[in-house]
Amino acid sequence: MGEQPIYSTRAHVFQIDPNTKKNWMPTSKHAVTVSYFYDSTRNVYRIISLDGSKAIINSTITPNMTFTKTSHKFGQWADSRANTVYGLGFSSEHHLAKFADKFAEYKEAARMAKEKSLEKMELASSPSQESPADIHSPLTPPVTADLCRINGTGDDVTLSDVSPNSMLQSDLSPTTPTLAHSPTTNKHWEAELATLKSNNAKLTAALLESTANVKQWKQQLAAYQEEAERLHKRVSELESQSSQTNVIKSQKTELNQTIEELECTLKAKEEEMVRLKEEVENAKQLQTQKDELTKKLEDTDLRNKELEEQLADLEQRLESSQVDQENLRKNLKTLLEILDGKIFELTELRDNLAKLIEDS
């Protein structure tokens, strides 16, 4: 399966300033995803965080790591392999507590995995304490002291010092003078020779297998020595870290104060962010209203143009009507003058008729 994420959260990531070892340096401009990963092949837990394509956290959890809560929203841990201290700022105390619980859980799992690995190493290294001559293949019989006392001297001989040919020659050499003594003795020594040949073949097979086992044990021993050297280096690193504990404690107060200041700044930034979001929403609403008013204004301008055209037409018609009225007034006045003349004439005519009537 390889390495898989097993828990994720979001937080602001910080690293200790490598120059001052006091101040925190933000490694992300905003909250990023911080994940626990588990490698089932190597049985290893890691904390990984990416800002875009850049890895800002790549920390392998070891049994000696400690996650410390320095405030209700901030926690930190030291990574000796990366030679730095990581800090995480969470949005709530609940997220910090959840991350700390997961850290403790995976740290315990890493400790148990390391103990099992050490037990396997001890079990695997225990056979290497014995010499190759004392370990026998399950497919070949053990080499006894009687078979090793081939020359009749009673001295023990190791397999690496005696070759099969030399053992066969030494087995045959004491029997050669007695072969001509009697047929019974000859048969006895022929049987002994067959036994020695059989034992020689078995010793050859045991020698070859022991040589192969020695090579394998040498490889295992080299691997164990390399692992021991790595563990010694790790112990040296941990000892150097323990010497820095007092310095870290003395810096803790300053770090807490810095963290509180950063939290206040972060809170102010979050409030400002909320305010800016509200302003953006208001600006969007105003823009919508502006667009609506612009459209209404265009409609009003178009209506005004139509009304202006109608007004100009009405004015033109009014002027024409006024001219017509003036002409009508002049005509009426002329008619009145004519009518007054006619009335005056009729009055004179009436008076004349009245006089005529009186005279007659």
Side-chain angles (χ1 to χ4, degrees), residues 81 114 117-118 121 224-237:
R81 294 184 180 180
K114 184 176 181 182
S117 177
L118 290 175
M121 289 173 57
Y224 296 149
Q225 288 176 347
E226 183 179 353
E227 181 67 16
E229 185 178 353
R230 188 184 68 81
L231 291 175
H232 282 308
K233 289 182 180 179
R234 180 62 179 161
V235 169
S236 300
E237 292 177 359

Side-chain angles (χ1 to χ4, degrees), residues 12-16 23-30 56 87 262:
H12 292 268
V13 180
F14 300 87
Q15 280 189 10
I16 202 72
N23 300 325
W24 286 106
M25 298 173 58
T27 56
S28 63
K29 296 181 180 179
H30 48 78
I56 55 179
L262 289 174

Side-chain angles (χ1 to χ4, degrees), residues 148-292:
C148 290
R149 297 191 185 98
I150 297 173
N151 292 325
T153 59
D155 296 332
D156 293 336
V157 182
T158 61
L159 295 175
S160 60
D161 298 332
V162 181
S163 65
N165 294 329
S166 63
M167 286 190 291
L168 181 58
Q169 292 174 359
S170 62
D171 291 336
L172 294 175
S173 58
T175 64
T176 303
T178 61
L179 289 175
H181 285 39
S182 66
T184 305
T185 307
N186 189 17
K187 291 180 180 180
H188 171 73
W189 285 113
E190 285 179 357
E192 187 70 22
L193 177 60
T195 304
L196 288 174
K197 285 182 178 180
S198 176
N199 291 335
N200 183 46
K202 294 177 181 179
L203 287 171
T204 303
L207 176 61
L208 294 175
E209 187 166 358
S210 298
T211 304
N213 289 336
V214 167
K215 290 182 180 178
Q216 183 179 0
W217 294 329
K218 284 182 178 179
Q219 292 176 356
Q220 290 180 353
L221 180 60
Y224 296 149
Q225 288 176 347
E226 183 179 353
E227 181 67 16
E229 185 178 353
R230 188 184 68 81
L231 291 175
H232 282 308
K233 289 182 180 179
R234 180 62 179 161
V235 169
S236 300
E237 292 177 359
L238 292 175
E239 288 177 351
S240 62
Q241 283 183 4
S242 63
S243 62
Q244 297 176 357
T245 304
N246 294 330
V247 178
I248 293 175
K249 287 182 179 179
S250 63
Q251 294 173 354
K252 185 176 180 180
T253 305
E254 297 179 1
L255 291 176
N256 289 336
Q257 184 177 1
T258 305
I259 289 167
E260 291 178 357
E261 293 176 357
L262 289 174
E263 287 179 350
C264 293
T265 305
L266 181 62
K267 186 176 181 180
K269 294 293 184 182
E270 290 177 350
E271 292 177 353
E272 185 177 359
M273 197 185 236
V274 172
R275 183 180 59 80
L276 290 175
K277 286 182 179 179
E278 292 177 354
E279 291 182 357
V280 167
E281 292 296 330
N282 293 333
K284 289 182 179 179
Q285 293 179 359
L286 291 175
Q287 183 65 33
T288 304
Q289 294 178 359
K290 179 183 176 182
D291 294 339
E292 293 177 354

Side-chain angles (χ1 to χ4, degrees), residues 115-128 224:
E115 289 179 354
K116 290 181 180 179
S117 177
L118 290 175
E119 289 177 1
K120 290 180 181 179
M121 289 173 57
E122 291 175 358
L123 292 175
S125 61
S126 58
S128 64
Y224 296 149

Side-chain angles (χ1 to χ4, degrees), residues 23-198:
N23 300 325
W24 286 106
M25 298 173 58
T27 56
S28 63
K29 296 181 180 179
H30 48 78
V32 296
T33 301
V34 182
S35 302
Y36 285 100
F37 279 76
Y38 174 62
D39 189 344
S40 58
T41 304
R42 298 185 299 155
N43 205 10
V44 170
Y45 294 86
R46 287 200 299 164
I47 302 174
I48 297 176
S49 178
L50 299 177
D51 188 6
S53 60
K54 178 184 177 184
I56 55 179
I57 297 180
N58 185 4
S59 178
T60 302
I61 299 176
T62 61
N64 1 359
M65 280 186 179
T66 302
F67 186 81
T68 306
K69 298 179 184 179
T70 56
S71 70
H72 63 286
K73 291 184 181 180
F74 194 88
Q76 65 183 50
W77 78 96
D79 189 342
S80 59
R81 294 184 180 180
N83 194 23
T84 187
V85 179
Y86 293 105
L88 296 178
F90 295 89
S91 60
S92 67
E93 187 174 358
H94 170 72
H95 290 88
L96 173 60
K98 185 71 173 177
F99 188 89
D101 292 342
K102 292 293 181 182
F103 192 99
E105 177 184 347
Y106 300 143
K107 171 186 170 182
E108 180 65 18
R111 184 188 64 80
M112 294 177 65
K114 184 176 181 182
E115 289 179 354
K116 290 181 180 179
S117 177
L118 290 175
E119 289 177 1
K120 290 180 181 179
M121 289 173 57
E122 291 175 358
L123 292 175
S125 61
S126 58
S128 64
Q129 305 300 325
E130 304 175 4
S131 63
D134 297 333
I135 301 175
H136 313 293
S137 169
L139 300 177
T140 58
V143 181
T144 62
D146 294 335
L147 293 176
C148 290
R149 297 191 185 98
I150 297 173
N151 292 325
T153 59
D155 296 332
D156 293 336
V157 182
T158 61
L159 295 175
S160 60
D161 298 332
V162 181
S163 65
N165 294 329
S166 63
M167 286 190 291
L168 181 58
Q169 292 174 359
S170 62
D171 291 336
L172 294 175
S173 58
T175 64
T176 303
T178 61
L179 289 175
H181 285 39
S182 66
T184 305
T185 307
N186 189 17
K187 291 180 180 180
H188 171 73
W189 285 113
E190 285 179 357
E192 187 70 22
L193 177 60
T195 304
L196 288 174
K197 285 182 178 180
S198 176

